Amino acid sequence: MRKEDTVKLISAEGFEFIIHKEAAMVSQTIRNMLTSPGSFAETQHGEVTFPEISTTILEKICKYFYWNLQFASGKETEFHIEPELTLELMMAANYLHT
Amino acid sequence: MYIRVKRNKTTYFIQCEPTETVLDIKQKLHVLIDQPVDDQRLILFSSGHVLEDVKTLADQKVENDSVVALTLRKDDNEFEDVNIARPTDFYQSRDPEGGSW
């Protein structure tokens, strides 16, 4: 794994999650941010800040990305979601097109 | 599978296999954080065990989605203490009259 193959997602509280680009691109919104032409800061540094998404939710989303990749490659497991997270998670998923 | 390597406010999602050794993980981290493998110490968060380089993840009960704390060697040659910041965002600091959405 090379450093260029990762992206840094930053939560509302400034917590950082470093994940594979491949995983992040499960989200259509992040995919667009990272692959759009032009010299956006997001594309250049591989850093995306989400001032609207709390740390707990962002971590859950990162877990989902990896789960999604595994699922797509045939490893079908369940993805557990705590009931108290569902509403915020759905709003974030809507925003991220995930 | 993946593990979550945490230090301060940063989490690294590292893709790996149960058959990989802890040294393999440290080499992956080296690429990301520019710290030599000798200056890294990994600790399984749930048990507090310091992970040994030569053993595999499976040997040391590191499973998918495990949280592993990363500590680095300080200037005085000692390793720093485990320090993982936790978000206190959830519910506590939220405006009860409706959030920032």
Side-chain angles (χ1 to χ4, degrees):
Chain A
M1 179 168 70
R2 295 173 311 154
K3 206 170 181 174
E4 304 86 77
D5 296 334
T6 63
V7 285
K8 186 187 278 186
L9 307 183
I10 304 171
S11 75
E13 297 84 10
F15 282 64
E16 302 177 343
F17 295 92
I18 289 90
I19 67 172
H20 273 92
K21 259 190 186 158
E22 187 195 359
M25 288 197 190
V26 168
S27 156
Q28 192 62 44
T29 304
I30 297 178
R31 176 186 291 269
N32 290 344
M33 287 173 176
L34 295 175
T35 56
S36 54
S39 50
F40 289 103
E42 281 87 353
T43 324
Q44 290 197 325
H45 306 299
E47 258 186 48
V48 188
T49 307
F50 296 103
E52 303 278 303
I53 301 182
S54 71
T55 307
T56 315
I57 295 294
L58 194 57
E59 179 155 28
K60 199 74 189 172
I61 290 167
C62 293
K63 288 186 188 187
Y64 172 77
F65 289 159
Y66 279 89
W67 175 87
N68 182 294
L69 290 186
Q70 284 187 342
F71 193 90
S73 64
K75 194 162 167 275
E76 299 190 13
T77 52
E78 251 183 50
F79 188 73
H80 177 72
I81 295 174
E82 293 81 354
E84 64 272 24
L85 297 184
T86 41
L87 179 62
E88 273 202 74
L89 202 56
M90 277 171 64
M91 291 191 289
N94 179 47
Y95 170 64
L96 291 170
H97 290 272
T98 301
Chain B
M1 69 173 213
Y2 67 84
I3 58 170
R4 287 174 284 153
V5 177
K6 287 176 180 265
R7 177 172 179 263
N8 300 340
K9 292 175 88 174
T10 306
T11 303
Y12 301 90
F13 279 67
I14 304 289
Q15 244 171 347
C16 53
E17 295 301 326
T19 50
E20 286 181 80
T21 65
V22 170
L23 191 60
D24 291 330
I25 302 299
K26 288 184 177 177
Q27 274 155 357
K28 291 181 187 188
L29 281 167
H30 166 66
V31 177
L32 297 175
I33 60 174
D34 292 328
Q35 293 284 345
V37 293
D38 290 342
D39 289 352
Q40 302 175 23
R41 177 177 280 175
L42 295 176
I43 299 158
L44 185 61
F45 193 64
S46 55
S47 66
H49 276 116
V50 176
L51 301 176
E52 295 175 45
D53 282 357
V54 291
K55 291 190 183 171
T56 66
L57 297 176
D59 282 345
Q60 304 183 84
K61 308 267 185 302
V62 181
E63 296 161 344
N64 185 43
D65 197 39
S66 287
V67 174
V68 174
L70 167 67
T71 62
L72 299 175
R73 199 187 288 276
K74 295 183 294 187
D75 293 337
D76 61 3
N77 228 14
E78 297 290 310
F79 280 95
E80 63 193 6
D81 292 331
V82 173
N83 181 11
I84 298 177
R86 286 174 176 277
T88 48
D89 58 288
F90 224 65
Y91 297 118
Q92 289 93 330
S93 69
R94 275 288 154 117
D95 177 8
E97 296 302 314
S100 52
W101 288 93

